[in-house]
Every structure is written in C-alpha cells, then in structure tokens.
Amino acid sequence: MSGAAGCQGGGGGGDDDRGPRWRRPWKLLALGLLSASSVLAAAPGAGAMSKEEKRRLGNQVLEMFDHAYSNYMEHAYPADELMPLTCRGRVRGQEPSRGDVDDALGKFSLTLIDTLDTLVVLNKTKEFEEAVKKVIKDVNLDNDIVVSVFETNIRVLGGLLGGHSVAIMLKEKGEYMQWYNGELLHMAKELGYKLLPAFNTTSGLPYPRVNLKFGVRHPEARTGTETDTCTACAGTLILEFAALSRFTGTSIFEEYARKALDFIWEKRQRSSNLVGVTINIHTGDWVRKDSGVGAGIDSYYEYLLKAYVLLGDDSFLERFNTHYNAIMRYISQPPLLLDVHIHKPMLNARTWMDSLLAFFPGLQVLKGDIRPAIETHEMLYQVIKKHNFLPEAFTTDFRVHWAQHPLRPEFAESTYFLYKATGDPYYLEVGKTLIENLNKYARVPCGFAAMKDVRTGSHEDRMDSFFLAEMFKYLYLLFADKEDMIFDIEDYIFTTEAHLLPLWLSTTNQTIAKKNTTTEYTELDDSNFDWTCPNTQILFPNDPMFAQSIREPLKNVVDKSCPRGISRAEESLGSGPKPPLRARDFMASNPEHLEILKKMGVSLIHLKDGRVQLVQHAVQAASSLDAEDGLRFMQEMIELSSQQQKEQQLPPRAVQIVSHPFFGRVVLTAGPAQFGMDLSKHKAGTRGFVATIKPYNGCSEITNPEAVKEKIALMQRGQCMFAEKARNIQKAGAIGGIVIDDNEGSSSDTAPLFQMAGDGKNTDDITIPMLFLFNKEGNIILDAIREYEAVEVLLSDKAKDRDLEMENMDQKLSENDSHKQNSEEGASAFQDVGEVSEEPEEEERFDVIDPDSLAPANADSDSVSISNQDSHVPEPDEASAPEPTCTQGDNQPQEQKTETESNSKVNWDNKVQPMESILADWNEDIEAFEMMEKDEL
C-alpha cells in the first residue's frame, strides 16, 4: 500500500504537483462532487431547476435569515438566544430552567458568535464586520456559570474560530476587516483555557460541564461531581481544539482532544467495533450499551472522518472505516438506521429513530457511499412530507414518538451534500420544500419558532443558535452558484456546527508527532480500510436517473407500507429455528407459547381475579440468549400496555390566532375536553372572535351575553366544574370556550398536557368545543386583546394553513397607509409564553427498558400483568393477534392529567406500577443476566 493519501482507480494516482499531501483526498473528493454535479445537472431530461428559480430561492433564504437575525439583534442581543413568541432575549437564570438544554447558554451572546461565519457565507460582509466588533467589545467569557463542554466547544469556540477563519480571508482580499488583528482568536484561546479544567480525569475524557470562572473542582464551581458523559460529548472536540492549536501554536489543546479520542477507541466493544451512548469518565465502563448513529454518538463518527481530512492523520481514517464497517453491518437496515446493543449487535435496542441521525447521509456522501445515503435521506424526506418537519423521534412504522422539532438543520445538511454528489435537481426541490415549510409553519413576527408538536403545529418560545449557524448556511449553499460566493467554500471543512476551518491548517504548526495508535489495540489489515478517493465514474454514473432509481422504491414507504424492523438474527434463521416469541403474538392458552416462556425464564401465574401475571427470572432461563429473549419479551409486553394507555388519552388540540397581525402564525398548545364537540371529527374546527365573560370564572349565569354571543368565550379555571362553565357559556350563545389556568406562570412547555373531565353526569347536552390553555399561553391571547381589541382564533385538532390572502391584503393596506411595520415584521412584545421543555433525554441502557417505545398499533393487550413481584400489565387477547398495520394515529408522548374536582386536584392512575419500581424489582435478575453475558463473552 502506497499510503493513506494515495488515490487509486478513477480517483487519482500518486504524488502530483497540485498541492501538499494533505489536500489531495479532500480536494479530489470535493472536485469529484462538483464534477458529478455538473455532469448530471446538464444531462438531458434531468428536469433541472431554472437558474432564475434557484436565484429566487437563494434570495428567499437571505430574506429569511434577515428576518431571524435582525429580530435577534433588535429584541434579544446581548442575550444568548431569541424567544420569538415573546420577542425578547433568553437570559439564563431569569427564565425557568429547561434542564440540560440551558447548559448551552453562558451569557456570552451565543447566537451572535454562532452566526459569525454564516454572515460571510451569505455575502453579508458589512454585517459581519459590525458583528465582530460587537463580539470583541461586548462578550465576556469570564462568567460564573456552568456550561456544557460539548455545546460551548462546537458553538462558541467553533464560532470564534470560524469567524477568525473568514476574517483573515477577508482581510487578505483587501476590502474588509483591514483593522482586524486576531481578536477573535485571542478570545478563542481564552475560552480554550477555560475548558481545559474539564479534562482533569484519569481517563482523559472531559467532565460534561465546566464553570467558566472557577473550572471544575473549585469549591464554587458547582460541578465536577458527574461520572458519565456521552460519546459524542467527549469525541467531538478534535476539530476545534486542533484548529486552536494550529492557529496559535499552543499544542496542549490538540493533545487533550486526541487523548480523549484515543481512550474512546480503546474502549470500543472489540467484537462488534461499536461504541455505546454514555461512558464513565473515570473507569471507561459503558453506562449505556446501545449504539446507533443518532443522539449521543453522532458527531463522534463525523469527527473521525473530518479529523483525517483536516489533519491528514491516517489513524483517524482507519478508526472511522472500522466503525463504519460495523455500522453498515449491524445498524444500517436500509432505509432505517436502528440502534443495537454493542455486545449483541444482532439485537435491536429500540423500535424508533431520533432526528439527529439525519446528518448521516451527508457523512456517507463524504465517505463516498452514495446509495445508502440516498435511501436513508429519501425515507427521512417522506417522514417530513407527512409531518411538515422531522419529529425529534419516530417509530419504525413512521409514527411520531417525540413530537417536538427545534428547527434542526441536519436534514438540510444532508440534502446539500447529496445535491453536490449527484447534481440531481430533485434535491433542489427538497430544499424548496424545507423553505416553504419554515415560512408556512415556523415563521412568526419575531423570527422563527420551534415546533412544540409537529402534529398540531403548536410552537415553542425558542429559536436555537444552531438555526442561524447551520440551517441558512446549508440552504443558501444549496441554491448558490460559484459566482454567488465571495470565496471558495471547497477550501474549508465544516465542523458539526457548520463552522468553517481552512484546510491549510494541516501543514501549520504540526506540534503533535503523528502516532498511529489504532493498531496498538487491534490487529488490522488492508481489507478493513478504503484508502481510495471516490471514483466519480463509478459512484456517479453519467445517468440522470441514477439517484431516482434508488429513491423510487421508497416513495411510498411512509404512507403505503408498514415496515417492521427485523433483526439480522431473525433474517439469518431462514427455515431453521423459529424467531423469538414476540409479545404481540403471545397467547396464554397456547401450550407452545408457554413452553417458550419457560425456556426464557418467564413464569405464568393465574391470579384469583382472572388476570394472568408474568414473572421473569433470568437465572432460570435455558441459556443467556434465552434470558435475553425473555428480557426483550417483557419489555415488549410493557410497551404494549403503555401504548394502550396512551391510545385511551385524547391528543392535544390547537388554538391558532388568525386575525391581524398573526394570520395563523401563532399556534398555542391546548388541552382537550372529554365532553363537547370532538374537534378531531370536525376538521374545519371552530373559528370566531374571542370575548371575556362576566363573571370571569363562568360558574354562574353570564351577565354579558351580548358580548359573548357567536363568539369564543374566555374564562378562568376554578370554583366550579368545567362542564358547568361550558353549559353557562353555551346558554349565553357562545360557539366555543377557552379555559385559562389560574395558576400563575403555568405553561404547556413545563407541565403535562391537561385534559378536562366532565362532572360525572351526562354531558351530551354540551355541543360546543372546549379547550384548556395554561396561564402563559392564555396570556398570549389576553395581551393580544389589549393590543388589538378584536382577536380571532381557530379551535382545531391541528393548526391549519395560515391565511395568506388576508395577510397579503393587510400588507397592501399597510403599505398604502405607510405603516412602519408590515404584517410579516410587526408584532408587540407579549408576556412570556413559557419556557421550552427539556429536550427528550434517554435513560435507556441494555438492561433498562424504555417505557415510551411503541408497540404495533393494533396489538391488543387487555389483562396480562408483568413483574418480578406484583406490577400489573394487561394481557393480550386469547385470540390470535393479527400482523401490525399502519395507522394514522400517532403515539402521544406527553403525559396527560385530568381534573375531575372543582378544587383542581389531579386524578392519577394508581393501577400501574411506575417503571422505576419495575426496574428496581428486576435488578437482581439483571445482574445475574449480566454475569451470564460476561461468562459467555
């Protein structure tokens, strides 16, 4: 083998005169992508988008960016982020805590720093120069605040380095930034030193958090007690830290980042070559042993490949290729990417996928593996077309698992790379869809609001910094031609936050002696590695139908098919041994099933009340594999019960403000009622102007019926039953009602979804729709009334398309009247709509059951109970269970509560033992099973 940089086949030959050794693999890959793009885009019959349409869309991206950026600068700066619903800045400590999500905020004007190099990519050089001056003048990095090492590295350190990279480029061109003298780099170095105390561990893995002022172990640091960190958190440092070392000549940053990567590589599971999600920073033991390409691991793989590209170190490519081979062998089940157990990679660890894996097709493009990239991307696009956005998590049969969408950019990133790789105009149409959906569903007067629930279209008061750092960058580059750019984007590599680092860093300040540590831990041969640069004639044939032919079988994968994730172990069985018994197929009257249960260490006990109880003891299983099957069977049975409970709950509803100046752009999450009009059966919903009733509690005859008639009544919670309120306003002529919580500061972002119950009597006489809003959401409407008097809303099961016709008419009227603000830009500053709920955080391990995993929609489970002692879960029907079919109903991930008493007490279901209790009961068996597993390994 001639060396890591040698490109064989169509990708290139040996040494040439085109530049130093480090440049060739990346530049040839980039040139190969561009070459393929030009070939396919020009091919006859490819349906290429016109240049005028591309330019129009590019200009639309610029306008959208201006809308988001200007509102941040006007309403939020110097705060870290913009709260777009309430038109103000999010300052940590001044808002209710959102948990780990807030660890990204450090009172260092996060959004501005994260946006610096985006300004240059979008040709906004004057705005960039002003922004750099603001950062230098205003930003303080010495705050007594605990921040995430991972988020601060990729967003702030990466943002400063990306800003410095383009600043010196502009200065070299001679027109802008002539005054610049490395101030951003000095700030980056200061921040780098503030992050270094986190690495004070025996393993070299950093603590997940650090105090910017006091470090980790200082008495006032308020951190340093953590024992675990995620793999991506420790493995996504090398680009920024190495760039900082190369820019400054200070080697310590790159040394620390390399040591962390070396340790993770050493601790990988040797037989599968996979890594887990979380690891103990002191011992190196895997805490969560599931493995995938999504949350918790994603950017670790990304940085291995990109570290090779940027630094030219062969060991990073060797490690990436080793991991990639394992991913394609175990995790990739085209078009799905399903988590598996690192010790048992044939066993799927879950039945759903998270949205962060949307970056992976883009990484596969950089790797040169185009076919699976096209397949997975197309599957994700079909999910987006169904839900308008990619839910935070969705099941293998494409139902919503977690309904939030914080405007993540990973899918746009992969779309950009696939267009560069294939030149297929289809991906321009995909980008157009993303633009339309953002403007249609996420755009609000003060920016763009994250989606609280993609099913209802409700918003969160949140616009993360990565939206400006990444989304607009990738969308603009998707539609931009080379002449639209003021610099060559191919001279840079994107970090995971899409910050730009120049490729020439590879030959600058090489203070680290490159040492191939990979082969110290395992025997490797050339068959494990792909040393060649992509051969564009093979990867991108001169055929405009190439990508389409791969996509075509997946066109209806979401709506018309219902794939079930089948483990490779099951596939390999063929006509041999039968696959493990699945909970959905279990029949208590089937002797064969009972024998299988016994083999898996599961006992069946008939209770006096007629129910059947299942108890598992892993030590009684015939083998460790049977014990594992038994554990999975118990998990599936719990999931079936959990799913049944969720299906009995009503989904959230939406209150959409449709009058001027909102026109449907503000959507509030509302709790449903168990009485009155069922909005899910009346798709048009109920639309009308709102009016406040007297008395405000609605507990007696309404004294202002003339104000309420033919309107939607607003009333306060408390002092009587909900049904009584509904009857009183219906008698007064109201067409609907909204009950606003009387608990000051309550919000749907921080509280479980509320469901209004009846009064224990027949409520068939109530025919109008009734919805419940928490205090902060209710105040949005009350403030709008004070500001605009006439406020019209739509009560529905999900948000409807905003009223573009009325909006355009209003805009014309505003222009004729020379108003300073039009309907797209103007808005009053409302009170706080509430903080965003903490991002879903997994607690799942190999030996921990996830209670939110979904079972098939029509799996029937009425009366089986599962436990080691007495925790009850309903049993499947005695009849044969049918194969699962796709349904339109989605899993409701939010916990709901129902008020049934006038004193607002909550009725909690005490019949089901909590998951924590079940898991505690299983500890002894789990430990025994782990011992069996270790013995087998």
Side-chain angles (χ1 to χ4, degrees):
M1 181 172 56
S2 60
C7 295
Q8 305 168 9
D15 291 338
D16 58 25
D17 58 356
R18 281 178 288 183
R21 176 178 181 269
W22 57 269
R23 261 182 104 96
R24 287 202 315 277
W26 174 254
K27 291 296 286 186
L28 285 175
L29 174 56
L31 292 173
L33 300 185
L34 292 175
S35 172
S37 177
S38 62
V39 168
L40 289 179
M49 181 179 286
S50 68
K51 198 162 188 176
E52 293 73 19
E53 177 71 356
K54 283 183 65 178
R55 187 171 297 277
R56 182 188 73 80
L57 291 169
N59 290 335
Q60 191 171 4
V61 173
L62 293 176
E63 185 278 329
M64 293 166 65
F65 171 83
D66 289 340
H67 179 65
Y69 180 69
S70 62
N71 273 289
Y72 165 74
M73 295 304 296
E74 179 180 352
H75 298 293
Y77 182 80
D80 283 318
E81 290 180 343
L82 170 68
M83 300 171 69
L85 296 182
T86 50
C87 299
R88 59 194 180 93
R90 183 182 298 281
V91 179
R92 193 168 174 186
Q94 295 182 12
E95 309 291 340
S97 173
R98 302 176 298 171
D100 291 347
V101 179
D102 283 337
D103 287 345
L105 311 180
K107 297 182 179 179
F108 35 36
S109 302
L110 174 63
T111 297
L112 183 60
I113 292 178
D114 219 0
T115 308
L116 288 177
D117 52 7
T118 302
L119 290 165
V120 179
V121 172
L122 272 55
N123 299 336
K124 297 182 178 296
T125 47
K126 291 182 180 178
E127 291 89 339
F128 171 72
E129 195 156 4
E130 294 171 0
V132 172
K133 290 178 179 178
K134 283 184 179 293
V135 170
I136 295 170
K137 176 176 176 289
D138 298 338
V139 172
N140 175 28
L141 298 174
D142 194 37
N143 299 313
D144 179 11
I145 192 167
V146 176
V147 297
S148 162
V149 173
F150 168 76
E151 297 289 356
T152 304
N153 172 64
I154 65 171
R155 299 203 208 187
V156 185
L157 183 57
L160 292 170
L161 293 172
H164 173 71
S165 299
V166 293
I168 58 178
M169 177 271 295
L170 291 174
K171 182 176 183 179
E172 185 178 334
K173 288 181 177 292
E175 184 176 355
Y176 295 99
M177 303 299 294
Q178 296 305 299
W179 55 270
Y180 182 70
N181 194 31
E183 290 84 353
L184 293 179
L185 181 60
H186 298 321
M187 294 179 69
K189 187 175 183 179
E190 177 190 354
L191 180 60
Y193 277 119
K194 288 183 174 296
L195 295 179
L196 286 185
F199 292 84
N200 189 15
T201 62
T202 54
S203 67
L205 299 178
Y207 283 95
R209 299 174 185 85
V210 66
N211 187 300
L212 291 177
K213 190 176 185 70
F214 297 110
V216 172
R217 297 191 173 179
H218 191 280
E220 299 180 61
R222 304 187 305 282
T223 188
T225 59
E226 303 92 342
T227 58
D228 307 335
T229 192
C230 72
T231 301
C233 299
T236 311
L237 300 161
I238 187 64
L239 293 188
E240 291 84 2
F241 273 49
L244 183 58
S245 287
R246 303 297 175 96
F247 272 130
T248 63
T250 305
S251 64
I252 188 171
F253 305 108
E254 185 172 345
E255 290 172 357
Y256 275 54
R258 281 177 177 265
K259 184 179 179 182
L261 277 180
D262 290 347
F263 190 82
I264 294 174
W265 171 253
E266 181 183 359
K267 292 298 180 179
R268 77 194 184 286
Q269 210 291 320
R270 301 303 177 86
S271 62
S272 67
N273 281 320
L274 294 173
V275 293
V277 174
T278 55
I279 188 171
N280 186 296
I281 59 176
H282 303 296
T283 66
D285 294 333
W286 291 110
V287 179
R288 278 185 50 191
K289 300 175 184 178
D290 47 317
S291 183
V293 297
I297 303 180
D298 49 2
S299 48
Y300 163 68
Y301 295 133
E302 177 186 2
Y303 269 38
L304 285 178
L305 179 57
K306 290 184 176 180
Y308 166 67
V309 173
L310 182 65
L311 307 177
D313 189 333
D314 298 349
S315 66
F316 292 130
L317 180 62
E318 293 179 10
R319 296 179 191 183
F320 173 79
N321 281 326
T322 300
H323 284 314
Y324 187 78
N325 181 55
I327 290 169
M328 299 310 292
R329 178 180 300 173
Y330 303 120
I331 295 171
S332 176
Q333 301 180 35
L336 309 180
L337 291 164
L338 294 177
D339 286 18
V340 299
H341 297 294
I342 59 175
H343 295 94
K344 300 286 185 180
M346 296 293 186
L347 181 66
N348 290 337
R350 60 174 60 142
T351 57
W352 49 269
M353 296 164 281
D354 67 74
S355 63
L356 285 172
L357 63 76
F359 91 102
F360 197 67
L363 187 64
Q364 290 179 304
V365 170
L366 296 184
K367 159 70 176 171
D369 199 359
I370 304 300
R371 178 177 291 273
I374 293 174
E375 291 173 336
T376 298
H377 180 275
E378 181 61 24
M379 176 270 293
L380 295 170
Y381 184 44
Q382 297 301 321
V383 175
I384 288 174
K385 288 202 292 187
K386 181 177 181 179
H387 299 293
N388 300 320
F389 298 98
L390 200 60
E392 277 291 76
F394 55 93
T395 64
T396 53
D397 53 358
F398 308 111
R399 293 180 294 169
V400 172
H401 186 57
W402 290 329
Q404 305 95 323
H405 174 74
L407 306 182
R408 292 200 185 277
E410 286 78 13
F411 182 78
E413 173 186 0
S414 288
T415 303
Y416 163 67
F417 281 114
L418 271 170
Y419 177 65
K420 296 295 286 185
T422 66
D424 191 334
Y426 175 84
Y427 295 108
L428 296 178
E429 296 296 332
V430 173
K432 182 179 179 180
T433 300
L434 298 181
I435 291 173
E436 291 173 346
N437 287 351
L438 285 170
N439 277 321
K440 192 173 185 179
Y441 303 110
R443 186 164 182 152
V444 294
C446 283
F448 291 84
M451 308 307 295
K452 180 176 179 61
D453 193 316
V454 297
R455 297 162 300 186
T456 64
S458 57
H459 293 133
E460 288 188 1
D461 201 6
R462 168 182 183 181
M463 188 177 82
D464 290 81
S465 68
F466 54 68
F467 182 61
L468 287 164
E470 300 184 68
M471 180 68 82
F472 295 114
K473 196 175 290 175
Y474 288 123
L475 287 178
Y476 182 75
L477 289 172
L478 178 63
F479 296 104
D481 292 321
K482 193 170 184 178
E483 57 267 25
D484 297 326
M485 303 293 296
I486 61 175
F487 66 99
D488 188 356
I489 196 71
E490 304 296 344
D491 287 337
Y492 297 82
I493 190 170
F494 290 118
T495 68
T496 194
E497 191 78 2
H499 293 307
L500 301 178
L501 298 177
L503 291 171
W504 53 257
L505 286 175
S506 179
T507 55
T508 303
N509 290 323
Q510 293 191 50
T511 54
I512 305 295
K514 287 193 291 186
K515 175 184 177 184
N516 190 332
T517 57
T518 299
T519 53
E520 291 182 7
Y521 307 121
T522 185
E523 293 185 6
L524 302 171
D525 57 61
D526 292 353
S527 64
N528 290 320
F529 311 121
D530 176 10
W531 294 106
T532 64
C533 297
N535 183 330
T536 60
Q537 293 179 348
I538 298 174
L539 290 175
F540 321 115
N542 188 8
D543 176 9
M545 305 300 289
F546 169 66
Q548 182 180 342
S549 66
I550 300 175
R551 291 192 304 266
E552 195 61 34
L554 303 170
K555 283 295 185 183
N556 299 316
V557 68
V558 171
D559 292 326
K560 294 188 178 180
S561 66
C562 190
R564 178 173 68 91
I566 303 175
S567 70
R568 297 186 185 279
E570 290 181 43
E571 292 178 338
S572 66
L573 291 174
S575 59
K578 294 182 179 180
L581 177 64
R582 310 307 293 264
R584 64 171 175 270
D585 301 325
F586 172 68
M587 291 184 291
S589 60
N590 188 321
E592 184 180 355
H593 288 185
L594 298 179
E595 187 63 30
I596 295 175
L597 289 187
K598 184 178 180 181
K599 190 176 180 183
M600 295 190 298
V602 178
S603 302
L604 185 144
I605 304 172
H606 293 275
L607 303 179
K608 293 181 179 179
D609 58 7
R611 290 178 299 132
V612 174
Q613 185 181 59
L614 298 177
V615 182
Q616 189 207 21
H617 296 283
V619 293
Q620 296 178 3
S623 68
S624 61
L625 183 60
D626 290 315
E628 185 177 309
D629 289 339
L631 188 61
R632 180 175 59 183
F633 176 84
M634 301 294 279
Q635 174 182 340
E636 289 179 350
M637 192 63 76
I638 288 178
E639 291 170 356
L640 285 173
S641 175
S642 174
Q643 176 66 12
Q644 183 193 40
Q645 291 172 349
K646 291 172 182 176
E647 288 174 352
Q648 292 174 348
Q649 297 172 341
L650 295 175
R653 307 301 188 201
V655 175
Q656 191 170 8
I657 307 179
V658 296
S659 55
H660 164 85
F662 308 96
F663 301 108
R665 289 173 298 181
V666 173
V667 184
L668 307 174
T669 298
Q674 295 177 351
F675 53 85
M677 179 190 293
D678 185 352
L679 290 170
S680 65
K681 297 178 181 178
H682 295 78
K683 296 301 181 183
T686 296
R687 178 168 176 164
F689 288 92
V690 295
T692 304
I693 63 172
K694 296 180 182 178
Y696 191 33
N697 59 32
C699 293
S700 58
E701 185 175 351
I702 307 303
T703 60
N704 61 335
E706 69 286 345
V708 177
K709 188 174 182 180
E710 298 301 321
K711 293 183 180 178
I712 295 174
L714 298 179
M715 68 210 79
Q716 190 176 47
R717 173 188 180 185
Q719 300 184 30
C720 65
M721 306 296 284
F722 290 121
E724 184 178 348
K725 298 175 189 286
R727 291 188 178 98
N728 287 333
I729 63 170
Q730 180 174 285
K731 183 178 179 180
I735 61 174
I738 298 175
V739 179
I740 298 176
D741 193 10
D742 58 346
N743 293 319
E744 189 68 29
S746 65
S747 168
S748 65
D749 291 330
T750 55
L753 188 69
F754 196 88
Q755 185 169 295
M756 295 186 291
D759 55 5
K761 305 174 184 177
N762 190 315
T763 55
D764 291 345
D765 59 313
I766 302 175
T767 59
I768 61 174
M770 294 288 291
L771 295 181
F772 178 89
L773 289 179
F774 282 105
N775 184 263
K776 289 190 176 181
E777 283 83 353
N779 281 336
I780 293 282
I781 295 180
L782 296 176
D783 288 341
I785 294 175
R786 284 190 282 270
E787 183 75 17
Y788 302 105
E789 295 185 1
V791 175
E792 189 177 15
V793 302
L794 173 67
L795 312 183
S796 60
D797 64 330
K798 62 187 296 185
K800 303 297 188 289
D801 292 349
R802 58 194 178 114
D803 196 338
L804 296 177
E805 182 179 344
M806 289 298 297
E807 186 174 350
N808 292 335
M809 186 182 300
D810 181 81
Q811 187 172 352
K812 292 178 181 177
L813 291 173
S814 298
E815 292 172 355
N816 293 337
D817 295 339
S818 301
H819 287 174
K820 292 182 180 180
Q821 294 179 324
N822 60 31
S823 62
E824 281 291 329
E825 300 169 346
S828 62
F830 299 123
Q831 293 183 11
D832 183 12
V833 72
E835 291 310 308
V836 183
S837 59
E838 183 177 340
E839 285 190 10
E841 191 173 301
E842 292 255 301
E843 294 297 334
E844 180 180 271
R845 297 175 47 184
F846 171 72
D847 52 355
V848 175
I849 295 172
D850 177 7
D852 291 330
S853 297
L854 293 180
N858 63 349
D860 186 7
S861 53
D862 282 337
S863 56
V864 168
S865 79
I866 305 175
S867 86
N868 275 40
Q869 297 177 3
D870 290 315
S871 58
H872 303 300
V873 179
E875 166 190 350
D877 192 77
E878 294 288 328
S880 177
E883 277 296 308
T885 58
C886 286
T887 64
Q888 295 300 316
D890 286 327
N891 165 40
Q892 305 296 333
Q894 293 172 305
E895 183 181 354
Q896 300 190 33
K897 57 182 180 180
T898 305
E899 180 181 355
T900 56
E901 298 178 1
S902 59
N903 61 2
S904 304
K905 289 184 179 179
V906 177
N907 263 342
W908 295 99
D909 186 355
N910 294 319
K911 295 181 180 179
V912 179
Q913 190 169 336
M915 277 300 304
E916 292 80 6
S917 176
I918 295 175
L919 294 177
D921 292 340
W922 284 3
N923 277 342
E924 180 180 348
D925 288 344
I926 289 171
E927 290 172 4
F929 171 71
E930 287 180 336
M931 289 300 298
M932 294 169 65
E933 181 186 51
K934 290 178 181 178
D935 292 341
E936 182 185 39
L937 291 175

